[in-house]
Amino acid sequence: MPSWKQALTLAQYQLRDYVFSRRFILMMALVAIIGAILTAVVGYFRPAAFLESSGAFYAIFWGGGVTVVIVFAGVIFGGDAIAGEFQNKTGYFLMGQPIRRATVYVGKYLAAFVAAFTAVVFFAVLLLGNGAYYFGAGAFTATFLASFVLAIVYLLALLGATFLFSSLFKTSTYATLVVAVLFLFGFMLIQDLISGLVHTTPWYILTYADSIIGGIFNTSCASSPGTHTCTMPGPGGGFTQTVTNATIPEGVGIMLAYFVITSVLGLVSFEREEFS
Amino acid sequence: MTLPSIEVHGLTKRFGSFTALDKLDLKLEGGKCVGFLGPNGAGKTTTLKMLTDMIFPTEGECFLNGISVQRERKRAMESAGVLIESPEIYPSLTATQALRMVAELRNMSREEQNARIPAILEEVKMADWADQKVGKYSKGMKQRLNIAAALVPDPEIVILDEPATGLDPRGMAEVRSIVRDLKKHDRLIFMSSHILAEVTDVCDEVALINHGKLLFYDTLDNVTARFSSGQSSMDASFAHPVSEETLRGKLDGNPDLVKYEQLDPRRFRLSFKGGLPAQGRLLRQLSGEELELVSFQESKSVLEEIYLSQIEKGD
């Protein structure tokens, strides 16, 4: 049987395991909670920054929310994907079959991707519902579609990195913790330190690239792709600051590079890991 | 038609400075059951894991039906059904779904699956649980399902790592029965076990390993002929306390008796030469009304005696 077909078979059964597990319900609940909080805040306070245009609405609501959803999805579906095969001993079941390790890795990646993609689509549906309420038919823009595609590229990259960390550990808890800390706080902290203290562009950090998901809507100087001198609000009329965001090609390039490099490293790590 | 075979050449595994397996050479061929014995940490599971590419040899190579496991894992494993270290199955799958996954990974047609999976579940006494999620199973049920998964492809080679682990006495007996049935289909079964009675019961040949080195590999008959001291040992229990003098008086003049020891006021262990005929003579002497013998059973099997003596020698 060709390996690609085995990968699809494994992905199908792994996905079934995800869908009927608590983690899938937890993920969907998290998306619903994030969506509900944002819906309630916008609905109650009606902040002008959100509602001045559909672009501004998406840049903040979608651009800010979907990256959090993707990080949660990565942690929940990818954090223990490989480490769990060792710790839970499910790997011993799979490795008893005539299947390459790379096929197991790819099959599990596909399943995690589809499960996480479902969560992203759910969030997009919640968001579009809000958009339709505030902006009517004008809510469904081509820019939103482009941003959605960028979010999926980010998901590919984040899952790639998550799988790499997962393949470096044999304990699910360590793997999940490292992924959660890195993507929820670590990378952003490093990024802020580098750009704030060393004044260089942290182009090699994945969270630097994810700004293009909201930035593509081009609604504010500070968040638009590229380098700009922006006037920031502050006492006495504010101040000017040079802001550097990833351009769309840069962002896509960084994300794809992350996806390819972490996938290769993760695969190599899994190929060398022993079920001992 | 070629016979199923398992070969390992110079198989060595080191974990840092610890040598778990030291230049193991072994060739098993043909339809039979080979028991793989050894104390904890002897290198049994390490060997089986290298045979299935779960861990990698420091030196040496393994072959299943002549195909290198280390170089062509996928092709080599096609002929093997494997159960190593009581694996877990995705808890949200049912038994049928888990076996379908195995069948699909092995490219079995839907018709084959429909015929084979219910039959195997029946064979491992799991038919009533076919549509229940694996997460709800007991350890013993999971182990039965793992055995079923190893048998789904109707493999020529079956590698089992302590298959009775976690099973209750009835489950153990059922596993023995399943392994005996497997032998009917000319399969090569390589089974590690701690349970010597299980090996004696179902295996044709036995390999003993200790400290990573193979002590012997031969048929059970040859092993018995080569290593047995020729002495047998029986435990005799009586209805009432029996003194040593009384027993000595009863067995006086028995030429087969080598020694005896009192285990408790009602039980003696008797060592003797001469095999079954001597055992019969001894039983006749003890079974008069005077002593009220209530049981007369083997205290150690021949294999157990050989196992212990060889392991002690190695230590």
Side-chain angles (χ1 to χ4, degrees), chain A residues 183-218:
Chain A
F183 285 96
L184 288 174
F185 320 106
F187 278 158
M188 271 181 270
L189 188 70
I190 295 166
Q191 187 182 331
D192 287 347
L193 281 174
I194 290 168
S195 54
L197 297 177
V198 192
H199 302 295
T200 58
T201 306
W203 56 267
Y204 36 82
I205 293 178
L206 187 57
T207 45
Y208 168 73
D210 75 15
S211 65
I212 62 171
I213 298 170
I216 195 171
F217 294 100
N218 257 322

Side-chain angles (χ1 to χ4, degrees), chain B residues 71-95:
Chain B
R71 281 179 282 173
E72 291 184 83
R73 159 175 233 284
K74 189 177 168 187
R75 209 157 71 86
M77 293 290 289
E78 275 170 6
S79 54
V82 171
L83 164 59
I84 292 186
E85 283 233 348
S86 306
E88 292 289 331
I89 300 168
Y90 297 138
S92 301
L93 300 183
T94 65

Side-chain angles (χ1 to χ4, degrees), chain A residues 12-223:
Chain A
Q12 178 198 332
Y13 282 94
Q14 175 72 74
L15 188 61
R16 191 180 308 207
D17 188 52
Y18 280 151
V19 170
F20 291 105
S21 69
R22 274 190 216 146
R23 70 174 74 196
F24 192 77
I25 297 165
L26 172 70
M27 185 66 227
M28 290 306 171
L30 279 173
V31 173
I33 290 166
I34 293 169
I37 290 171
L38 291 173
T39 302
V41 167
V42 175
Y44 186 77
F45 293 104
R46 304 221 163 216
F50 269 68
L51 301 175
E52 68 187 24
S53 69
S54 65
F57 177 79
Y58 289 136
I60 303 170
F61 201 150
W62 168 255
V66 77
T67 49
V68 176
V69 167
I70 288 172
V71 170
F72 277 132
V75 170
I76 288 174
F77 297 117
D80 71 339
I82 301 299
E85 292 294 324
F86 294 95
Q87 191 185 350
N88 305 332
K89 288 193 164 184
T90 45
Y92 289 88
F93 186 75
L94 290 176
M95 295 310 289
Q97 310 309 323
I99 188 167
R100 293 191 176 95
R101 282 168 183 248
T103 308
V104 172
Y105 194 92
V106 172
K108 291 191 71 81
Y109 183 94
L110 287 174
F113 178 79
V114 174
F117 180 81
T118 309
V120 173
V121 168
F122 180 37
F123 185 68
V125 168
L126 290 179
L127 185 108
L128 284 172
N130 273 273
Y133 176 75
Y134 293 112
F135 305 104
F140 305 98
T141 64
T143 315
F144 178 77
L145 190 64
S147 181
F148 181 83
V149 172
L150 293 177
I152 299 310
V153 178
Y154 180 58
L155 173 61
L156 275 175
L158 187 124
L159 271 181
T162 306
F163 267 61
L164 167 62
F165 289 117
S166 188
S167 69
L168 294 174
F169 294 99
K170 281 186 177 173
T171 311
S172 305
T173 317
Y174 290 148
T176 306
L177 205 65
V178 167
V179 169
V181 168
L182 265 182
F183 285 96
L184 288 174
F185 320 106
F187 278 158
M188 271 181 270
L189 188 70
I190 295 166
Q191 187 182 331
D192 287 347
L193 281 174
I194 290 168
S195 54
L197 297 177
V198 192
H199 302 295
T200 58
T201 306
W203 56 267
Y204 36 82
I205 293 178
L206 187 57
T207 45
Y208 168 73
D210 75 15
S211 65
I212 62 171
I213 298 170
I216 195 171
F217 294 100
N218 257 322
T219 52
S220 79
C221 180
S223 66

